Amino acid sequence: MGRTMKARTAFLVLLTAGVVGSAAWLVFFSPVLGVRSIEIVGNLTVPSERIKQQAGVADLHPLATVNLADVEGRVLAIRQLASARVDRVWPGTLKIEVVEREPVASIPAGGKFAIVDKQGVVIEVKSAAPPILPVLKVDTPAVGDPTTMAALQVIQAVPDEVAPKVREVRAGTAEGVTLKLSDGRTVIWGGADRPKEKGRILISLLKREKATVFDVSSPDVVTLK
């Protein structure tokens, strides 16, 4: 190989290395492919601006080097959010898709009310119980507490026709859940088992019976008082 050919080959190698290096610089270090917008999807009550601030990603930070897992972790520090997924959308958008926790009950706590989701996670604390949520009263409310979790399962299982009427839910044990309705009637639901049967029977009884206590804890043997 002549000197000219060797020089040309060396030049091409350097040129290729330069192109690759420039491309890498553009992707990993340059603001040219930096974060220019953050798209928030799925939020209903949590402001998008709050989520963006919590994400903690600076404008024009190279999109390729954003640690997606770290961003998800920071966003999930917002307790109203149940999940978050962060993706890169080239050339310059960071997409954050969230799912908010849905409040299902309020629990009295030190003169205030803790608003919880179906898993017992506290979403927020209010000075008064929201009228649209049932008040849950258990001895030791906590995530994972069998009685608390059973009561929350029952709240989720109550038929749509009855749910708006439930004002209070009491549970001394996981098998002893009782509902207080807005019209003063009481429903002894029992445990979280056989929810569809209990719900179907309860709807029928509430429509045609004038009793004040409905015991559907055992769907096979229903009692009224």
Side-chain angles (χ1 to χ4, degrees), residues 178-199:
T178 299
L179 315 176
K180 297 287 185 179
L181 305 185
S182 57
D183 58 11
R185 292 188 283 185
T186 299
V187 178
I188 301 174
W189 188 279
D193 60 310
R194 303 173 68 179
K196 292 183 179 180
E197 293 176 69
K198 293 177 181 180

Side-chain angles (χ1 to χ4, degrees), residues 127-177:
S127 57
I132 61 174
L133 296 178
V135 175
L136 174 58
K137 295 185 177 181
V138 295
D139 294 334
T140 55
V143 176
D145 171 62
T147 302
T148 302
M149 302 314 293
L152 291 172
Q153 288 181 49
V154 170
I155 290 173
Q156 292 286 292
V158 173
D160 292 341
E161 295 93 324
V162 181
K165 301 177 182 178
V166 178
R167 289 292 174 264
E168 183 178 289
V169 179
R170 290 180 176 268
T173 67
E175 299 299 324
V177 182

